[in-house]
């Protein structure tokens, strides 16, 4: 999310709550690309989504659609803080995939460990090559001497 420098602590706290709700509803893509979508959306005084607009596209249609879907799915939002004479509340959100991944990892929604490759399958019916070595239990060494 983007904090505007001259906003009140109440507005900043509200923006964090909205961003958390959206990230919780965001469905992660199967992508390692560095994707970022900046989106502006408006909420009425009851927390309902009024409209949204992509300010900067990620140039990845699937990712942009996931951002829009999360914003729609998150509505209704918490009631915005009262701002004198306001009939709507605008939020500017920077949906950076690398930051979202980090947030989801820290919250336990994503695994930290990368996926391990599957073990190699052992070919069936191959004769074992003799190696000339024999594995012996150390207790049995005395018997060999």
């Amino acid at each position: 999310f983007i904090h505007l420098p001259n906003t009140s602590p109440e507005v900043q706290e509200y923006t964090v709550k909205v961003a958390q709700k959206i990230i919780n509803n965001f469905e992660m893509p199967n992508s390692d690309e560095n994707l970022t979508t900046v989106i502006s959306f408006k909420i009425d005084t009851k927390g309902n989504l009024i409209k949204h607009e992509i300010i900067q596209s990620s140039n990845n249609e699937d990712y942009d659609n996931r951002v829009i879907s999360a914003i729609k799915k998150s509505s209704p939002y918490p009631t915005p803080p009262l701002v004198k004479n306001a009939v709507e509340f605008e939020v500017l959100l920077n949906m950076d995939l690398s930051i979202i991944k980090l947030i989801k990892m820290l919250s336990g929604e994503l695994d930290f460990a990368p996926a391990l490759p599957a073990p190699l399958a052992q070919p069936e019916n191959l004769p074992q090559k003799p190696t000339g070595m024999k594995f012996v239990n150390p207790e049995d060494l005395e018997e060999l001497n």
Side-chain angles (χ1 to χ4, degrees):
F1 59 93
I2 298 173
H3 273 299
L4 301 176
N6 296 324
T7 57
S8 71
E10 294 83 15
V11 170
Q12 291 181 9
E13 182 180 335
Y14 179 76
T15 305
V16 169
K17 287 179 184 177
V18 167
Q20 286 173 333
K21 188 169 186 181
I22 292 167
I23 290 171
N24 288 340
N25 287 317
F26 182 74
E27 293 185 28
M28 296 294 290
N30 290 329
S31 175
D32 289 332
E33 291 180 75
N34 186 16
L35 301 171
T36 300
T37 300
V38 178
I39 190 162
S40 169
F41 58 99
K42 293 185 179 183
I43 303 167
D44 68 17
T45 56
K46 294 180 182 177
N48 297 307
L49 180 66
I50 300 171
K51 68 177 186 174
H52 59 81
E53 176 185 3
I54 291 182
I55 305 298
Q56 177 187 332
S57 172
S58 66
N59 295 321
N60 180 311
E61 187 177 353
D62 176 60
Y63 186 74
D64 289 349
N65 288 335
R66 287 172 187 266
V67 170
I68 291 168
S69 177
I71 286 170
K72 289 178 179 179
K73 188 176 181 181
S74 298
S75 183
Y77 293 94
T79 304
L82 294 176
V83 179
K84 190 176 183 178
N85 300 325
V87 293
E88 58 187 34
F89 191 88
E90 185 173 6
V91 177
L92 188 60
L93 194 64
N94 180 356
M95 294 289 286
D96 183 310
L97 183 57
S98 60
I99 293 172
I100 294 169
K101 282 181 181 178
L102 178 61
I103 291 169
K104 287 191 177 266
M105 278 192 265
L106 293 174
S107 69
E109 289 185 47
L110 289 178
D111 292 329
F112 277 101
L116 298 174
L120 295 174
Q122 295 296 324
E124 294 180 23
N125 302 326
L126 286 181
Q128 295 293 322
K129 289 184 182 178
T131 63
M133 292 191 265
K134 180 178 178 182
F135 290 96
V136 178
N137 185 340
E139 297 168 354
D140 297 335
L141 283 176
E142 292 177 11
E143 294 176 15
L144 293 175
N145 290 333

